[in-house]
Amino acid sequence: MDRSILVVDDDPAFRELAGRFLAAAGITVAAEADTAAEAILVAEETRPDAILVDVELPDGDGITLAGALTALPWQPQVVLTSVDPDAAAPDEVRRSGALAFLSKDKLAGGTLLRLLNDS
């Protein structure tokens, strides 16, 4: 899989863990961001194929950010995530343009990779 991803999360330990998991799966981590504002700037600079977005960011919510990211000219795939399995309702995910919401404890189970491969 020759794909790149941007990891957006305010927890540096999670960004590192997600980066290792994604790299092991053959996905290049193009960059990381810890705020919504930084995510937009970094996405425009790196143009990743996909973006993993935490729902709760210090300067905004990931659901609104997902809408902005999916509207970028190259239309990156966006997957929302949170430690709270109820952080994003299915209708919120649909309206944001994100592919899906996955709780962080489900990311390593292969679902994220299937979503990115099937879309």
Side-chain angles (χ1 to χ4, degrees), residues 4-6 12 22 26-28 42 44 56-57 66 78-79 81 87 96 104-105 107 109 112 114 118-119:
S4 63
I5 193 165
L6 165 62
L22 293 161
I27 299 173
T28 301
V42 172
E44 289 173 341
E56 297 175 18
L57 295 167
V78 175
V79 175
T81 191
S96 76
K104 288 183 178 179
D105 64 336
L107 290 177
L112 175 62
R114 282 191 298 280
D118 293 344
S119 298

Side-chain angles (χ1 to χ4, degrees), residues 54-116:
D54 187 16
V55 170
E56 297 175 18
L57 295 167
D59 64 340
D61 74 273
I63 296 167
T64 301
L65 175 60
L69 294 169
T70 58
L72 291 169
W74 68 95
Q75 300 178 323
Q77 298 173 311
V78 175
V79 175
L80 293 162
T81 191
S82 176
V83 293
D84 177 359
D86 299 317
D91 61 321
E92 292 176 306
V93 175
R94 260 190 312 281
R95 282 194 307 266
S96 76
L99 287 176
F101 167 80
L102 295 174
S103 61
K104 288 183 178 179
D105 64 336
K106 305 284 189 224
L107 290 177
T111 304
L112 175 62
L113 298 177
R114 282 191 298 280
L115 280 169
L116 296 176

